[in-house]
Amino acid sequence: MTLRLAGARYRYAGTPRVVLDGIDLDVAPGRVVGLVGANESGKSTLCLVASGLAPGSIGGRLEGSVTMDGVETVTLAPHEHAQRCGVLFQNPTTQLSGTAVTVWEEVAFGPRNLGLAVPEIVERVEWALDTLGIAPLAPKDPARLSGGQAQLVALAAVLALRPAYLVLDEPTSQLDPRGTRLVGEALAGLAAETGTGILVAEHKTELLAAMAQDVAALDAGRVALLGPAADVLADPRLVDLGVEPPAAVRLARALEAAGLADPRLLAAVEQAAAGGDDGPVEAAGVSDRPGVGQGRA
Ligand SMILES: Nc1ncnc2c1ncn2[C@@H]1O[C@H](COP(=O)(O)OP(=O)(O)OP(=O)(O)O)[C@@H](O)[C@H]1O
Ligand SMILES: [Mg+2]
């Protein structure tokens, strides 16, 4: 049971350039895998390929293999993908249905299309809205949301499908620190509690430090670094890959450079960066443990 890329090589239709070159990456149930890299390193393309949208829906040429729970994604029909793997694009407004008149209806759109019974639809919609702290948006017109609100609604609509895997391309790009933290907590809790496997491309390395178990750093379409989040995010090579390390790592380095690397000071910096006293991300169960089975409804 894993979302697995093995030797994945991809180029978009009509271009000779290989954009992903020999990607090996696993997203196991219950794990959050962060994806970092400079602009144009291939994060969004990897999200499209991992979710099966490329080449499935957008074409292009894929070599190597991409499997979900052992099934090659290229053999799945679009509706089969949608049930296994939820995708959130970098620009959330492109993802709203354009037909729903309220946020509630927007989030219900996917579950309705799955043909679920009404009580189940209601339960999922309210759960998704509550999980992301956006229940008050339920009666609003989806066309009149702020960028941040639209991003949360698009994510709620994906969560309501309860897919086994989630592929999220910069899900917090339009969110303020509070919204970012809320999404981080919600996703970490989701992985720990329901066994959802999550691949998340994200520039905010603090967020990944708090929610991801593993991090992969891309460099021009190849995986340059891959390992436990704490190791990759503290790797000195990260800066050369165009990725800003988390504040705790930068501070610790500055302290060391100034000859102030007292272990107690470094520990305090790390604790503060992890959220300090009110660090509910840890409380939500983001420990380095494997998935807890397929407990979704
Ligand atoms: N539809 C497309 N057709 C052809 N080439 C594309 C297409 N989309 C992206 N590319 C190219 O693929 C490469 C990787 O782009 P991608 O969007 O995956 O990078 P990214 O890491 O997500 O960047 P960013 O941080 O800006 O979001 C780039 O060189 C880009 O120009
Ligand atoms: Mg991108």
Side-chain angles (χ1 to χ4, degrees):
M1 298 297 268
T2 290
L3 170 54
R4 169 167 290 161
L5 289 89
R9 251 168 87 86
Y10 178 75
R11 44 190 168 81
Y12 285 97
T15 73
R17 221 179 104 225
V18 174
V19 176
L20 297 179
D21 195 2
I23 303 280
D24 294 315
L25 190 66
D26 276 8
V27 183
R31 288 187 83 84
V32 179
V33 179
L35 194 58
V36 297
N39 292 136
E40 296 200 51
S41 57
K43 301 180 297 298
S44 293
T45 307
L46 180 46
C47 287
L48 290 171
V49 167
S51 62
L53 286 176
S57 299
I58 66 162
R61 185 178 164 84
L62 174 70
E63 294 163 71
S65 89
V66 180
T67 54
M68 281 182 210
D69 302 335
V71 181
E72 292 280 348
T73 56
V74 289
T75 66
L76 294 170
H79 71 275
E80 291 174 312
H81 277 144
Q83 262 161 289
R84 285 173 194 254
C85 184
V87 195
L88 188 71
F89 302 120
Q90 204 165 337
N91 178 0
T93 46
T94 59
Q95 196 155 352
L96 299 178
S97 68
T99 58
V101 293
T102 65
V103 163
W104 203 98
E105 287 297 327
E106 181 68 47
V107 177
F109 187 80
R112 252 197 240 289
N113 276 352
L114 292 180
L116 299 171
V118 171
E120 171 79 14
I121 294 172
V122 171
E123 196 270 316
R124 286 189 182 202
V125 171
E126 293 187 349
W127 167 80
L129 294 174
D130 284 342
T131 299
L132 297 174
I134 52 170
L137 295 183
K140 295 220 165 168
D141 178 352
R144 289 165 186 261
L145 300 173
S146 75
Q149 288 172 331
Q151 194 156 34
L152 289 169
V153 170
L155 180 57
V158 174
L159 295 187
L161 293 168
R162 299 217 174 137
Y165 300 99
L166 279 173
V167 174
L168 309 172
D169 192 1
E170 303 200 25
T172 72
S173 59
Q174 307 201 33
L175 301 183
D176 58 23
R178 190 179 160 274
T180 298
R181 197 180 166 87
L182 210 67
V183 166
E185 287 167 14
L187 295 176
L190 191 71
E193 285 155 28
T194 68
T196 309
I198 302 177
L199 178 66
V200 54
E202 186 55 73
H203 280 290
K204 295 174 186 167
T205 45
E206 273 89 17
L207 179 66
L208 292 181
M211 70 181 282
Q213 283 89 48
D214 305 299
V215 170
L218 287 187
D219 181 24
R222 292 170 179 265
V223 176
L225 301 171
L226 173 63
D231 296 351
V232 172
L233 295 175
D235 193 303
R237 289 169 291 180
L238 205 57
V239 178
D240 303 326
L241 296 173
V243 179
E244 183 166 70
V249 172
R250 284 180 282 134
L251 248 172
R253 268 183 211 151
L255 288 172
E256 269 171 51
L260 296 170
D262 180 88
R264 283 166 305 172
L265 203 52
L266 292 178
V269 164
E270 257 174 41
Q271 206 202 337
D277 298 336
D278 62 0
V281 170
E282 247 114 69
V286 198
S287 58
D288 189 14
R289 63 188 157 116
V292 288
Q294 304 294 307
R296 67 189 61 82

